[in-house]
Amino acid sequence: MQTLFIPLEEDIKRWVRESVREELRDTLNKLQKQSDPNEEPLVTRKEMGKYLRISLVTLTDWKKRGLPFHQKGGRLLFLKSEVLQWLKETNNT
């Protein structure tokens, strides 16, 4: 004859909590491995314009003059360090 085990509500809650914690821990570990803390994040046109306190029209003009940018999925993205370096080099010439 087989023994029938009927879990209590507290057991089910504990199992769910443990499963959720384990899943969150795994997801966080994956995200931390994917993102290098030394890697600078790309910013959007609006973010770069706001950071530099310039209009998007001026940003587009600078892009035509050689402002470095990256294109991902049809979007223009910028690295702040590259833009600042370009500005320093452009102002010294």
Side-chain angles (χ1 to χ4, degrees):
M1 176 175 235
Q2 288 184 339
T3 305
L4 181 63
F5 174 72
I6 301 175
L8 298 172
E9 182 181 349
E10 294 304 315
D11 291 328
I12 295 172
K13 287 179 179 179
R14 183 173 37 84
W15 294 335
V16 169
R17 271 195 311 272
E18 289 172 358
S19 295
V20 169
R21 278 189 191 125
E22 185 177 319
E23 192 63 33
L24 285 172
R25 191 176 323 120
D26 290 347
T27 302
L28 282 173
N29 286 337
K30 287 178 187 175
L31 287 172
Q32 288 173 345
K33 288 179 183 176
Q34 287 176 353
S35 62
D36 182 1
N38 297 325
E39 187 175 306
E40 183 181 351
L42 291 165
V43 296
T44 64
R45 290 173 356 118
K46 285 184 181 179
E47 292 169 332
M48 184 54 68
K50 186 175 181 180
Y51 176 72
L52 296 173
R53 298 180 184 169
I54 60 172
S55 70
L56 295 180
V57 173
T58 301
L59 189 66
T60 301
D61 183 51
W62 289 3
K63 185 180 79 67
K64 290 175 184 176
R65 296 178 186 203
L67 182 72
F69 67 94
H70 301 267
Q71 203 160 4
K72 292 201 178 195
R75 297 179 66 197
L76 292 178
L77 301 168
F78 301 89
L79 284 173
K80 288 181 182 179
S81 60
E82 289 179 350
V83 171
L84 293 175
Q85 182 64 36
W86 181 82
L87 287 170
K88 286 178 188 176
E89 292 171 1
T90 306
N91 287 335
N92 288 333
T93 57

